[in-house]
């Protein structure tokens, strides 16, 4: 990594840090010990939502602090928490229908299709589009399109209609997974077999083997081809 | 960012050998060679990186220096720091750590009639679970069986595994897949509903189930959303790590002291039963290795459990994942999922030659990569002075059809794409990274430990994986044993009569440290690593 230094502004305050760092390591280099705003440090948990602006551009940009490299003279602040609304529901009581989704989240229908959420998403998900699909009651489409959502809340923070897109999305994914995805017959069959004790003898006899015998079986076991 | 000109030279060689390699099967290592390479190159075998601990029930056990230091650490508290009669929360079951294991435990505790609290260090779900990409194992296909799964687990663990734990793991596996599906997890499927399964390192059957390469995220966010459906029965506390277990005067674990990590306030939780599910310790950075683990993986639960007398097992074996990112610098140490090799990506050296079967068990694969770089000098150097070998991802689209990478590995595509590396076109540079704690608190099949009132589940536990865990058996373990511990704790909590709460064990511990002459112990658990002014 180069030793070049750049200045950045963390919540308005100037710090000089080595170039090439992520926003997260730049903050740490500047002396912050993060408590909020850091979770997985690998782009999976959505804890590190960050808003920033670079010189010469009036527009706010967004990114994950653990995944975004700093730019010279960048102004930034983290949004580690956003008080979005989660409806009170239990999946068992719902049906996989448009009615269920819209009764759970009536605000869904207030979406203006403005597309601000899509611009905000660090996962490059077309959030506006899955909201449109939700409004059409196409639960399977929402489930598929929103799949990579890390629930960072950035779309929520920017929405003029005060939608909680990520919560609508997880509701649809769960409805899809539980009710709409085709069932796996081989799995249901295996569960029955286990409950009937079909493998108990096999397992018991394997457990009773000494290490040497087990090792021989292991070394000689056949491997399913690719 | 993309690759440097020197790296491009090597990449051209990788491209030039690719066609031939498509038809070339590099042989798996013979058992004897495996043992030799492990002894010579696996980080666990570096004698000077481990030491014996000098206090407690597992005194004499070897573990990495960095872990030994926190295990032999001093408490943040003494018995008179707090008035334990001032109870802030009273509950049936306290679950410490809300990753996959802890969330499963809380759900099953509720299902079995208990009220539960989940205490989290960070947010609920900021955990190793959410980072798991590759998959979860279960023997549910016709050509497979729990017994075959058993054999794979035992062999992978070098036959040191606890057979009773392995039996439970493989038998419960199809059941937890069903449970997760019923909660709404979207596993990858064929149009007819057949679950898609592939191989993982050390599997003899294709039994790795996935949810694209967000398998852990899908499981974690589903469990978390389910927990949120019961706000009256499961209380979720965030930014409130446990810093000590509380005992009662009958020798039972009776809850914990939590620290409000933002205000410094202490909270007393009184619980009839306690489940430790704090996960692993990658952020202790054994031997200076980079890690795949989340920010809060600092081995806290081992420290707490050991102070109340829980046995530890296999703490001298850590898993180094063979393929951590070695370039670009911003993502060094982060995981490149094993699924990439499962789908056919080969591992190549600077000359574009294969040097190891791509799906050896992780310890063997990692050792072979270290040998290739360190002994044979066939690694590729990065500008910051690291070395790595190529993981030839473009092969995946060639083998399975173009678009497969985008569909099967979106998280990886995105991770590298942020730094202008298109993994469908160019390979990734990789090197082993600290990944998983194979050992931990000794466990029984119902999730109980030897200490009354204390249960454990997940990466914190030791025994089920023996000396080496296979990919996909950890997401399995956290759901299997999380559920079991939650259920057992709930049932036991109905019977428990707690006595007077005390922290005198903390004073006794301090005395023990003094007696063996441990001077200036660190205060542990350490809760978070400190990266201020450090480039990681
Ligand atoms: C990058 C990555 C990829 C992986 N891929 C796979 C895979 O494909 N397949 C597989 O099977 N396994 C995989 N694993 C391993 C697997 O994900 C973990 O072993 C497993 O999820 C651990 O679950 P857990 O619930 O035990 O711990 P975690 O999920 O880590 O949860 C522990 C929780 O406890 C909290 N905590 C810690 N200390 C305290 C404290 N003092 N007080 C309160 N809370 C505390 C933590 O912050 C965390 O939230 C992967 C791991 C990583 C890191
Ligand atoms: S930002 Fe809000 S209103 Fe605009 S498209 Fe997205 S959800 Fe709809
Ligand atoms: S959809 Fe919203 S919550 Fe999900 S990743 Fe995108 S911005 Fe974040
Ligand atoms: S810390 Fe988890 S996404 Fe950045």
């Amino acid at each position: 990594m180069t030793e070049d230094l750049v200045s950045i502004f963390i919540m308005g305050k100037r710090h000089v840090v080595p170039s090439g760092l992520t926003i997260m390591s730049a903050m740490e280099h500047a002396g912050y010990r993060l408590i909020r705003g850091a979770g997985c440090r690998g782009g999976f948990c959505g804890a590190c939502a960050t808003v920033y602006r670079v010189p010469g551009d009036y527009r706010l940009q967004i990114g994950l602090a653990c995944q975004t490299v700093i730019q010279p003279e960048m102004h930034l602040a983290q949004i580690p928490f956003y008080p979005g609304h989660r409806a009170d529901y239990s999946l068992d009581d719902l049906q996989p229908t448009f009615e269920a989704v819209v009764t759970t989240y009536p605000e869904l229908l207030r979406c203006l299709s403005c597309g601000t959420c899509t611009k905000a998403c660090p996962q490059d998900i077309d959030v506006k589009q899955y909201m449109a699909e939700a409004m059409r009651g196409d639960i399977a489409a929402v489930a598929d399109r929103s799949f990579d959502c890390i629930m960072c809340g950035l779309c929520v923070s920017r929405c003029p209609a005060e939608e909680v897109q990520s919560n609508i999305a997880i509701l649809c994914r769960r409805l899809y997974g539980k009710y709409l995805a085709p069932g796996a017959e081989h799995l249901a069959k295996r569960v029955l077999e286990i409950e009937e004790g079909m493998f108990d003898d096999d397992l018991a006899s394997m457990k009773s083997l000494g290490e040497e015998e087990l090792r021989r079986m292991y070394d000689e076991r056949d491997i399913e081809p690719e | 960012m993309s690759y440097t000109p020197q790296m491009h030279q090597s990449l051209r060689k990788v491209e030039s050998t690719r066609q031939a390699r498509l038809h070339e099967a590099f042989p798996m290592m013979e058992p004897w060679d495996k043992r030799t390479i492990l002894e010579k190159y696996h980080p666990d075998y570096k004698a000077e990186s481990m030491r014996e601990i000098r206090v407690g029930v597992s005194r004499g056990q070897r573990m990495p220096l960095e872990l030994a230091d926190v295990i032999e650490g001093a408490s943040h508290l003494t018995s008179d720091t707090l008035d334990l009669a001032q109870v802030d929360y009273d509950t049936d079951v306290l679950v410490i750590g809300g990753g996959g294991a802890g969330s499963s435990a809380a759900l099953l505790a509720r299902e079995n009639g208990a009220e539960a609290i989940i205490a989290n260090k960070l947010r609920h779900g900021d955990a190793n679970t959410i980072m798991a990409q590759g998959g979860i194992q279960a023997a549910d296909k016709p050509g497979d069986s729990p017994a075959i799964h058993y054999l794979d687990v035992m062999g992978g663990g070098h036959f040191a595994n606890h057979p009773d734990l392995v039996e439970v793991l493989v038998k419960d596996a199809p059941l937890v897949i069903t449970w997760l599906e019923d909660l709404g997890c979207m596993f990858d499927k064929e149009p007819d509903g057949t679950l898609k399964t592939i191989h993982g390192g050390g599997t003899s059957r294709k039994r790795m189930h996935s949810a694209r390469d967000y398998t852990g995220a899908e499981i974690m966010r589903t469990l978390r959303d389910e927990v949120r459906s019961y706000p009256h029965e499961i209380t979720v506390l965030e930014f409130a790590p446990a810093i000590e277990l509380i005992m009662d005067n009958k020798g039972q674990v009776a809850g914990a002291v939590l620290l409000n990590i933002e205000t410094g306030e202490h909270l007393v939780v009184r619980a009839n039963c306690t489940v430790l599910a704090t996960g692993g310790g990658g952020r202790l950075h054994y031997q200076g290795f980079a890690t795949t683990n989340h920010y809060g993986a600092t081995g806290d639960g081992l420290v707490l459990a050991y102070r109340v007398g829980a046995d530890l097992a296999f703490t001298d074996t850590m898993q180094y994942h063979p393929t951590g990112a070695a370039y670009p610098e911003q993502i060094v140490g982060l995981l490149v999922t094993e699924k990439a090799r499962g789908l056919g990506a080969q591992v190549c050296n600077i000359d574009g030659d294969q040097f190891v079967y791509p799906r050896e068990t992780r310890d063997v694969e990692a050792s072979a990569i270290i040998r290739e770089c360190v002994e044979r000098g066939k690694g590729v150097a990065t500008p910051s002075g690291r070395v790595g070998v190529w993981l030839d991802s473009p092969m995946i689209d060639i083998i399975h059809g173009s678009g497969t990478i985008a569909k099967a590995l979106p998280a990886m595509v995105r991770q590298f794409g942020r730094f202008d590396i298109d993994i469908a076109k160019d390979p990734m540079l990789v090197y082993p990274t600290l990944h998983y704690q194979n050992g931990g608190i000794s466990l029984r099949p119902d999730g109980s430990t030897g200490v009354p009132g204390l249960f454990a589940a997940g990466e914190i536990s030791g025994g089920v994986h023996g000396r080496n865990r296979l990919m996909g058996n950890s997401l399995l373990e956290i759901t299997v044993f999380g559920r079991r511990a939650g259920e057992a704790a709930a049932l036991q909590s109905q019977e428990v009569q707690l006595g007077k709460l005390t922290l005198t064990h903390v004073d006794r511990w301090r005395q023990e440290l003094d007696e063996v002459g441990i001077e200036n112990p660190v205060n542990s658990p350490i809760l978070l690593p400190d990266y201020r002014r450090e480039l990681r």
Side-chain angles (χ1 to χ4, degrees):
Chain A
M1 196 178 293
T2 65
E3 287 304 314
D4 299 345
L5 297 175
V6 296
S7 70
I8 58 169
F9 295 82
I10 301 171
M11 293 179 280
K13 193 167 175 183
R14 182 167 177 269
H15 295 271
V16 177
V17 296
S19 69
L21 297 180
T22 59
I23 292 174
M24 184 170 284
S25 21
M27 288 183 73
E28 288 170 334
H29 194 273
Y32 286 84
R33 188 170 190 192
L34 300 174
I35 293 176
R36 296 263 176 183
C40 66
R41 304 179 72 101
F44 285 92
C45 76
C48 63
T50 304
V51 187
Y52 64 90
R53 208 168 47 70
V54 292
D57 193 345
Y58 66 91
R59 284 170 303 187
L60 287 177
Q61 303 189 47
I62 53 80
L64 299 172
C66 67
Q67 300 289 299
T68 308
V69 177
I70 52 167
Q71 299 173 40
E73 307 300 317
M74 149 193 249
H75 281 255
L76 64 91
Q78 286 201 291
I79 313 181
F81 177 81
Y82 203 82
H85 156 71
R86 181 198 180 272
D88 205 1
Y89 62 81
S90 164
L91 204 63
D92 285 339
D93 305 334
L94 298 179
Q95 296 296 312
T97 59
F98 170 69
E99 285 70 32
V101 177
V102 82
T103 321
T104 312
Y105 289 107
E107 63 269 35
L108 169 63
L109 299 177
R110 298 184 54 210
C111 169
L112 314 163
S113 297
C114 68
T116 313
C117 47
T118 298
K119 277 190 237 151
C121 180
Q123 293 289 84
D124 299 325
I125 297 169
D126 192 342
V127 188
K128 173 185 117 176
Q129 187 59 29
Y130 81 59
M131 290 296 283
E133 284 154 352
M135 283 187 276
R136 285 204 306 272
D138 191 345
I139 290 171
V142 181
D144 182 57
R145 192 181 302 279
S146 72
F147 194 85
D148 297 357
C149 173
I150 56 174
M151 307 190 78
C152 67
L154 277 164
C155 54
V156 185
S157 75
R158 303 288 281 150
C159 176
E162 291 165 302
E163 304 282 357
V164 183
Q165 299 92 327
S166 45
N167 280 349
I168 293 175
I170 194 172
L171 172 62
C172 290
R173 285 195 303 274
R174 293 189 64 194
L175 287 171
Y176 178 82
K178 182 177 173 76
Y179 297 109
L180 299 174
E185 276 171 37
H186 61 95
L187 177 64
K189 182 159 173 274
R190 181 55 44 89
V191 168
L192 266 182
E193 290 169 351
I194 288 173
E195 282 167 357
E196 285 165 359
M198 197 171 135
F199 304 102
D200 292 357
D201 291 349
D202 277 5
L203 278 168
S205 72
M206 220 172 246
K207 274 176 71 185
S208 68
L209 296 178
E211 180 180 330
E212 207 166 304
E213 183 65 4
L214 209 54
R215 192 181 283 280
R216 193 187 56 74
M217 280 179 78
Y218 179 75
D219 290 339
E220 289 171 3
R221 78 206 199 285
D222 60 315
I223 302 211
E224 181 179 2
E226 282 307 316
Chain B
M1 212 65 58
S2 71
Y3 292 118
T4 65
Q6 289 87 338
M7 295 167 109
H8 271 292
Q9 274 185 10
S10 168
L11 276 176
R12 278 195 288 276
K13 294 187 186 160
V14 176
E15 283 161 14
S16 72
T17 56
R18 192 174 287 144
Q19 269 312 319
R21 279 187 287 109
L22 278 168
H23 309 287
E24 170 189 299
F26 198 91
M28 224 165 146
M29 248 180 256
E30 294 299 326
W32 171 253
D33 296 333
K34 288 186 194 173
R35 211 167 307 170
T36 320
I37 196 170
L38 285 176
E39 281 168 17
K40 215 156 157 210
Y41 297 102
H42 196 279
D44 280 352
Y45 288 82
K46 237 189 202 165
E48 67 275 19
S49 73
M50 306 247 177
R51 70 174 171 87
E52 290 179 1
I53 46 169
R54 295 162 283 179
V55 283
V57 283
S58 303
R59 169 177 329 111
Q61 201 169 107
R62 284 169 62 77
M63 57 181 72
L65 303 176
E66 298 82 354
L67 180 57
D69 287 348
V70 296
I71 292 281
E72 289 180 349
S75 175
H76 296 277
L77 307 170
T78 57
S79 66
D80 52 12
T81 318
L82 293 164
D83 178 5
L84 296 176
Q86 299 276 15
V87 174
D88 297 283
Y89 293 93
D90 213 335
T91 188
D92 298 325
V93 176
L94 168 65
V95 179
I96 302 176
S103 304
S104 303
L107 287 171
L108 264 285
R110 185 207 76 90
E111 220 175 287
N112 286 279
E115 277 187 10
I117 289 177
I118 307 180
N120 294 282
K121 176 178 342 195
L122 301 167
R123 302 179 314 167
H124 182 195
D126 291 348
N128 280 356
T129 302
I130 210 158
M131 308 185 76
Q133 302 163 21
I136 176 168
Q137 290 200 38
D140 56 27
K141 288 284 175 78
D144 200 359
S145 80
I148 303 175
H149 192 177
Y150 180 94
L151 193 58
D152 286 348
V153 178
M154 294 297 291
H158 305 290
F159 305 96
N161 323 46
H162 200 312
D164 292 340
L165 296 175
V166 181
E167 178 183 27
V168 159
L169 181 82
V170 299
K171 249 177 82 172
D172 278 8
L175 279 52
V176 301
I177 300 288
T178 307
W179 181 64
L180 290 170
E181 276 208 300
D182 192 52
L183 293 176
C185 270
M186 288 169 57
F187 290 110
D188 296 335
K189 289 186 163 184
E190 305 291 351
D192 70 353
T194 304
L195 287 154
K196 286 191 187 169
T197 51
I198 62 170
H199 271 302
T203 56
S204 67
R205 295 291 183 278
K206 295 186 200 170
R207 72 168 80 85
M208 193 70 63
H209 303 62
S210 54
R212 305 188 194 175
D213 58 353
Y214 286 100
T215 312
E218 173 65 351
I219 292 174
M220 188 67 242
R221 65 197 180 188
T222 302
L223 293 175
R224 181 175 55 197
D225 197 63
E226 181 68 3
V227 166
R228 287 178 181 164
S229 304
Y230 307 104
H232 304 296
E233 293 136 287
I234 307 176
T235 303
V236 177
L237 304 174
E238 298 187 325
F239 299 95
I243 57 168
E244 208 64 66
L245 293 173
I246 298 171
M247 306 282 287
D248 74 357
N249 57 357
K250 305 178 190 166
Q252 314 179 89
V253 170
V257 178
L258 312 182
L259 174 73
N260 178 332
I261 200 170
E262 294 175 301
T263 63
E265 178 195 9
H266 290 132
L267 300 166
V268 174
V269 182
R270 194 179 106 114
N272 286 359
C273 287
T274 300
V275 181
L276 270 172
T278 56
R283 293 276 158 194
L284 295 174
H285 294 292
Y286 306 131
Q287 301 183 39
F289 266 88
T291 184
T292 60
N293 285 192
H294 83 287
Y295 189 37
T298 51
D300 301 358
L302 295 185
V303 171
L304 301 187
Y306 194 60
R307 277 185 201 155
V308 298
D311 256 331
L312 303 179
F314 303 112
T315 46
D316 59 340
T317 138
M318 297 297 152
Q319 183 165 87
Y320 293 82
H321 195 290
T323 60
Y327 184 86
E329 189 68 18
Q330 291 88 346
I331 57 170
V332 163
L334 292 186
L335 181 69
V336 176
T337 173
E338 187 167 307
K339 196 173 166 194
R341 279 173 291 138
L343 288 166
Q346 294 171 345
V347 185
C348 304
N349 63 19
I350 191 168
D351 299 325
D353 294 328
Q354 286 199 82
F355 56 89
V356 61
Y357 174 69
R359 289 197 324 279
E360 297 283 3
T361 52
R362 287 186 172 169
D363 47 359
V364 173
E365 189 85 18
S367 303
I369 293 174
I370 294 174
R371 177 177 68 184
E372 196 69 10
C373 293
V374 175
E375 186 192 83
R376 298 178 175 167
K378 295 271 188 183
V380 179
T382 76
S384 60
R386 298 178 191 275
V387 280
V389 294
W390 297 112
L391 181 59
D392 196 7
S393 46
M395 296 182 70
I396 297 172
D397 275 2
I398 300 176
I399 297 170
H400 301 280
S402 97
T404 307
I405 295 177
K407 188 79 190 160
L409 301 171
M412 286 295 92
V413 170
R414 193 173 277 125
Q415 182 92 262
F416 283 83
R418 284 179 174 126
F419 304 98
D420 295 328
I421 294 170
D422 178 354
I423 65 166
K425 296 209 176 71
D426 281 326
M428 296 167 260
L429 198 72
V430 296
Y431 193 77
T433 177
L434 175 56
H435 189 49
Y436 185 79
Q437 173 177 288
N438 290 312
I441 303 173
S442 298
L443 205 64
R444 300 173 181 157
D446 66 350
S448 60
T449 66
V451 182
L454 186 65
F455 297 76
E459 189 168 340
I460 193 179
S461 76
V464 64
H465 306 298
R467 303 195 63 79
N468 176 53
R469 168 195 70 119
L470 299 183
M471 171 204 176
N473 280 340
S474 179
L475 287 176
L476 178 59
E477 154 185 49
I478 64 176
T479 34
V480 165
F481 290 98
R483 285 169 48 89
R484 286 177 165 257
E487 177 172 351
L491 298 179
Q492 201 185 99
S493 75
Q494 319 296 341
E495 325 253 286
V496 170
Q497 294 292 331
L498 289 183
K500 188 171 179 300
L501 305 194
T502 109
L503 280 172
T504 47
H505 62 287
V506 168
D507 295 345
R508 278 200 307 278
W509 174 259
R510 182 66 215 214
Q511 213 177 328
E512 248 190 275
L513 296 183
D514 290 341
E515 276 164 19
V516 298
I518 297 176
E519 283 170 24
N520 303 320
V522 291
N523 280 332
S524 61
I526 66 163
L527 305 181
L528 289 173
D530 191 350
Y531 294 145
R532 282 173 291 188
R533 298 210 181 273
E534 255 192 64
L535 311 184
R536 240 193 251 288

